[in-house]
Amino acid sequence: MAPPSEVTFDEKKAYVAQEGDGQAFFDDGREIGLLHFLYSHPSIDQMRGSPLKVLQAIDEYGRTKKYLMNVGEDKGKIVTNLIAEVKPKTMVELGGYVGYSALLFGNAVREAGGHRYISLERNPEFAAVIMSLVDLAGLNDVVRVVVGPSAQSIKRLHENGTLQHIDLMFLDHYKPAYTTDLKLCEHLGLVTAGSVLAADNVIKPGNPPYLAYVRSSVTEKRERYENGEAEKESADFADRTRNQYIKREGEEKLSTEIKGNPNLRYESRLVHSFEPTGEPDGIEITRCVAEE
């Protein structure tokens, strides 16, 4: 899906291309390589306490060394604008990778007067990278990194009272889990009227089940709920997306028994943009406007 003609990409800032099918494009040592690149960078002293300087150096690595599956500048701007509008007190991200989004959005939350940015990351090595860069950027007062599978972490944070409501949520983790994790947040009362969602990669690689859910009417969702329809797990995804983490984490089991809250009415729209490589992608912005 090509973006509208008025949405353009500056090729001079493109990351190196993502590796092709059958080739590793993450979790092959490049994340630790990024840490060594940053901490040996000539501008390391200027990076300390500066999220912007750290982000610029991460982008430099992605443009000159190896591809990184970051949200990038273009899509990142969509979300930072949203943060400035919503002014979330608590923002949660599902999937942190190396911390690009945690630095960019955590800083934006702080600038908007918010207090907490919670980054959920399943891979403990990636989480360690995030924590190191959060400390480097001086965002320890805002950003908290939680290690573990997203659904388990959401349940635990809710049960121990850490997380009672999500003002803004950024979804950028295992693509088949977007819908099941949203339904879990609905079920726990974390996502309610007033909550806003921003979902990455809805064009590349795509997420048809999630888009179908957030674009459905309350009537349509109630019918599926009453008929006992469950999520089809990862059947609607390509093998590369469905099996993305299988080597390290094993086969992902989704909580398909949780049906969420079909009475929540969403207004959702796609904002076209680009991957940091220049490939077309977009962010789905979804607002929970009422409970019927």
Side-chain angles (χ1 to χ4, degrees):
M1 180 185 295
S5 58
E6 66 270 15
V7 181
T8 60
F9 180 78
D10 182 358
E11 294 291 343
K12 297 191 296 295
K13 64 182 183 182
Y15 278 20
V16 297
Q18 178 180 327
E19 289 79 356
D21 289 344
Q23 297 178 285
F25 61 95
F26 73 103
D27 200 15
D28 60 352
R30 71 186 66 196
E31 296 80 16
I32 302 302
L34 170 66
L35 280 184
H36 287 286
F37 176 82
L38 295 176
Y39 282 97
S40 62
H41 197 281
S43 299
I44 182 62
D45 289 336
Q46 288 72 43
M47 287 186 219
R48 298 187 189 280
S50 173
L52 178 59
K53 293 292 186 183
V54 179
L55 288 164
Q56 289 173 342
I58 296 173
D59 283 329
E60 181 184 343
Y61 181 92
R63 290 165 184 157
T64 63
K65 302 297 182 181
K66 285 191 172 184
Y67 168 80
L68 295 170
M69 54 179 187
N70 296 329
V71 65
E73 288 184 22
D74 291 75
K75 291 187 293 180
K77 182 66 174 175
I78 296 169
V79 181
T80 55
N81 287 342
L82 187 65
I83 292 169
E85 173 198 337
V86 174
K87 295 179 172 52
K89 297 302 181 186
T90 297
M91 181 170 175
V92 173
E93 75 169 355
L94 307 183
Y97 189 43
V98 294
Y100 190 101
S101 51
L103 300 187
L104 182 61
F105 304 153
N107 184 55
V109 167
R110 183 167 66 180
E111 290 181 344
H115 305 302
R116 291 193 303 175
Y117 187 93
I118 301 175
S119 176
L120 307 187
E121 172 52 54
R122 178 170 183 168
N123 186 309
E125 293 176 3
F126 296 168
V129 174
I130 301 171
M131 286 185 270
S132 177
L133 298 187
V134 165
D135 181 67
L136 177 62
L139 286 169
N140 281 320
D141 59 326
V142 176
V143 178
R144 174 180 174 182
V145 182
V146 177
V147 185
S150 54
Q152 294 179 22
S153 295
I154 291 167
K155 292 174 185 176
R156 185 174 65 255
L157 291 171
H158 178 259
E159 288 170 358
N160 66 24
T162 300
L163 190 59
Q164 295 299 310
H165 187 263
I166 297 173
D167 301 313
L168 180 55
M169 182 160 68
F170 180 61
L171 298 91
D172 191 22
H173 60 326
Y174 181 57
K175 306 314 170 191
Y178 278 29
T179 311
T180 53
D181 282 346
L182 172 55
K183 287 183 175 182
L184 173 61
C185 291
E186 293 175 345
H187 174 74
L188 296 175
L190 298 173
V191 168
T192 63
S195 296
V196 181
L197 316 170
D200 194 13
N201 302 129
V202 295
I203 294 176
K204 180 184 181 294
N207 204 316
Y210 177 81
L211 293 182
Y213 184 75
V214 296
R215 295 174 181 179
S216 293
S217 68
V218 168
T219 300
E220 291 169 331
K221 290 190 292 181
R222 283 173 178 167
E223 288 177 355
R224 290 196 293 268
Y225 187 95
E226 291 166 2
N227 291 333
E229 294 182 24
E231 290 301 309
K232 295 183 290 184
E233 296 205 6
S234 53
D236 291 330
F237 296 89
D239 286 347
R240 195 182 199 198
T241 299
R242 184 170 60 250
N243 299 325
Q244 185 169 339
Y245 302 105
I246 197 167
K247 180 182 73 172
R248 171 79 73 166
E249 311 294 349
E251 186 176 358
E252 187 82 18
K253 294 296 185 183
L254 303 178
S255 301
T256 57
E257 74 281 359
I258 295 176
K259 298 180 181 179
N261 182 355
N263 300 315
L264 295 179
R265 176 158 57 88
Y266 291 118
E267 292 180 354
S268 200
R269 66 185 180 94
L270 173 64
V271 182
H272 287 275
S273 188
F274 295 92
E275 281 278 277
T277 57
E279 293 182 77
D281 195 13
I283 301 282
E284 184 81 0
I285 305 296
T286 304
R287 301 171 191 269
C288 184
V289 296
E291 181 168 2
E292 298 181 2

